Amino acid sequence: MIYKYKVPDDTVVEINAGSCNPHDTWKLTMTGSSRVEVKGIDINVKPIIDCPDSCASSIVAMNGADVVIGPTMGVRADTSMTYRIDGKSSLTYGNQDSSASDFDNVDFEFTGDTGGTLKLILPNDPNIDAPVVYIRGLRPDDTFIAEMTNPAGANFLPVDMEYDAEGLLNLAYAVDGPLYEFDVPDARFVKIYLDESVTEGDRIALYDDGSVGYACYLRGTHIATPDGETKVEALQAGDKVLTASGQVATVKWLGYRKLTASRIPAKDALKAFPITFQKDAIADNVPHRDLTISPHHHLYFEGKLIPAMALVNGKTITQDLSCQSFEYFHVELDHFDILLAEGVAAESYVDTGNRSMFQNVNPTSMLADFGPAPGRQSIAGMKIVRKGPVVEALRERLRQRAEAIAPVVQPVVERRAA
């Protein structure tokens, strides 16, 4: 079903389950500064700006809505359209017919709780630059996905992300994989507005699935090498380390990043503050010392890579939200593999476009030396699992072990005040 609706100036219009069926299409003609709220329903929207004078309209995906937006028509220099993703809703903008002009005077904003998803489909024209896109409020636990209009439908991944003095997040994109077959430029650039919690020089990570967060080892973590254990911060390019399979790998690069509690919004604390696996939390003598890592860091269990944050039990695996400052390190090897950190099998660093989350990155040389982000290299029999039966079964096993070895409950440190 296709609905045609003219939205009067200075009004708020609500589209919900009582207004239409899922996946219906709405052709909305915005005649002035108005707001359309899509609440908890999946629909397609084709907006048309038809303002005799300057106006600023908005469409909001909220209450878990999934909204697909065709390119906005009729936007002029004196008009604008804002698309908002509220909470755990999602919004897709663009299609195979998108052009650079479709992004003029159009911006996007994450509002409410984290967990929203924005997907952009940008034009693939070798004769023009990628459009400048303005996105406000992107935070850890949100998802940002960018694709280009080509038959392969492949993503292109960011290789440089840093906030500038004006509060803009600057992303340089390297075209990923199949896009090279279309002979397009090997770099795209996007500028993103973020909220007031960021300051110049801050960096974030954008993972290969579009999720935003941090992932590393804490300073002082011991990494196994052929000559014994070495603290992670002491490793250098060219050093040898042991892998979980008993092989020897070579360190290619060591990234580091210092975080300060005062600059981490309370709403993002669970995605940033370190998680500690107490000695023996996983098995006897595993880890053989307390292991502290970032929430997104993946540990290896029987062919599965599982993030640390999925295993917190408040007893032997806890998160400390009281740290005032902490420093993370990550180890890149000559090939992706599983390291031994305090005797625990854990991932090495993978460049999925998030290298510039580290303070010691050199964006200029990085683009020249590394080219397009290769993504997470696959290893036979290995799979990333973040939720579901496998994770729940492991959580229960570790919980039962915690009851056996630590009958006195150690409470998780309460979230600090905002």
Side-chain angles (χ1 to χ4, degrees):
M1 179 73 70
I2 297 178
Y3 297 84
K4 296 182 180 180
Y5 188 82
K6 181 175 289 187
V7 183
D9 185 16
D10 197 26
T11 60
V12 176
V13 174
E14 179 179 317
I15 300 176
N16 54 40
S19 306
C20 61
N21 295 315
H23 308 298
D24 281 340
T25 297
W26 284 67
K27 291 187 175 180
L28 298 176
T29 302
M30 317 291 282
T31 61
S33 295
S34 53
R35 171 186 172 102
V36 174
E37 298 177 345
V38 182
K39 294 186 175 181
I41 192 168
D42 303 344
I43 65 169
N44 299 311
V45 179
K46 296 183 178 180
I48 302 172
I49 303 298
D50 186 20
C51 303
D53 301 308
S54 62
C55 65
S57 300
S58 65
I59 295 177
V60 186
M62 55 198 310
N63 294 3
D66 181 8
V67 181
V68 177
I69 305 289
T72 306
M73 299 176 61
V75 178
R76 309 185 306 268
D78 61 343
T79 64
S80 66
M81 174 67 81
T82 298
Y83 296 102
R84 294 189 173 91
I85 303 97
D86 186 77
K88 299 186 182 301
S89 300
S90 63
L91 187 143
T92 299
Y93 182 86
N95 55 34
Q96 293 297 314
D97 299 321
S98 294
S99 64
S101 62
D102 293 325
F103 293 84
D104 292 342
N105 300 313
V106 173
D107 62 358
F108 306 88
E109 182 176 9
F110 287 85
T111 61
D113 295 335
T114 58
T117 298
L118 172 63
K119 179 179 179 179
L120 301 181
I121 302 176
L122 303 178
N124 177 21
D125 186 341
N127 299 311
I128 62 172
D129 290 331
V132 175
V133 179
Y134 296 95
I135 304 174
R136 293 190 296 269
L138 182 64
R139 305 146 300 185
D141 203 30
D142 289 326
T143 298
F144 171 50
I145 300 171
E147 292 187 355
M148 296 178 67
T149 54
N150 69 87
N155 289 347
F156 59 103
L157 302 174
V159 294
D160 180 40
M161 297 180 290
E162 182 175 353
Y163 308 130
D164 64 17
E166 298 178 353
L168 286 170
L169 180 66
N170 297 276
L171 284 76
Y173 276 88
V175 179
D176 180 34
L179 290 174
Y180 274 113
E181 299 174 5
F182 298 92
D183 194 29
V184 299
D186 62 0
R188 300 281 173 153
F189 299 91
V190 179
K191 287 184 179 293
I192 296 180
Y193 282 114
L194 293 196
D195 58 27
E196 297 176 354
S197 65
V198 301
T199 57
E200 182 178 2
D202 276 357
R203 298 177 186 273
I204 64 172
L206 190 61
Y207 295 95
D208 50 0
D209 62 356
S211 62
V212 180
Y214 309 96
C216 303
Y217 297 100
L218 198 72
R219 173 183 282 275
T221 300
H222 293 81
I223 305 297
T225 79
D227 300 318
E229 292 187 320
T230 298
K231 289 185 178 181
V232 63
E233 65 268 22
L235 291 173
Q236 299 180 18
D239 287 350
K240 303 297 183 181
V241 297
L242 287 178
T243 68
S245 63
Q247 302 299 309
V248 176
T250 302
V251 175
K252 181 178 180 179
W253 180 73
L254 187 75
Y256 64 84
R257 164 75 185 278
K258 186 173 183 178
L259 297 176
T260 303
S262 61
R263 293 169 65 178
I264 299 174
K267 64 181 183 297
D268 299 329
L270 296 180
K271 298 293 181 180
F273 281 80
I275 290 174
T276 296
F277 288 70
Q278 294 179 14
K279 182 180 183 299
D280 301 321
I282 296 174
D284 290 345
N285 209 36
V286 181
H288 50 238
R289 299 184 192 88
D290 288 358
L291 170 65
T292 304
I293 56 179
S294 62
H296 276 285
H297 202 106
H298 292 90
L299 303 182
Y300 179 80
F301 294 91
E302 300 175 351
K304 307 296 191 298
L305 286 169
I306 298 177
M309 64 187 303
L311 302 176
V312 172
N313 58 27
K315 298 176 182 179
T316 56
I317 306 171
T318 58
Q319 184 169 34
D320 185 357
L321 303 177
S322 66
C323 298
Q324 294 306 300
S325 66
F326 43 97
E327 195 167 6
Y328 285 138
F329 291 79
H330 218 337
V331 182
E332 183 178 31
L333 304 178
D334 51 359
H335 60 278
F336 173 68
D337 213 323
I338 303 301
L339 296 165
L340 289 171
E342 308 295 6
V344 176
E347 66 178 348
S348 67
Y349 170 69
V350 183
D351 183 0
T352 57
N354 61 350
R355 187 179 298 273
S356 58
M357 70 182 284
F358 300 104
Q359 293 174 212
N360 59 321
V361 71
N362 184 328
T364 302
S365 64
M366 177 179 62
L367 285 170
D369 293 344
F370 294 96
R376 184 179 298 275
Q377 299 175 8
S378 61
I379 296 180
M382 189 178 300
K383 180 180 180 181
I384 295 177
V385 181
R386 297 188 174 96
K387 59 183 179 179
V390 171
V391 174
E392 292 305 315
L394 178 59
R395 280 174 54 88
E396 178 60 18
R397 176 163 67 84
L398 296 179
R399 186 196 66 77
Q400 291 180 9
R401 177 171 180 80
E403 293 288 352
I405 67 175
V408 178
V409 174
Q410 302 175 17
V412 177
V413 177
E414 294 297 327
R415 183 189 297 273
R416 61 188 176 85

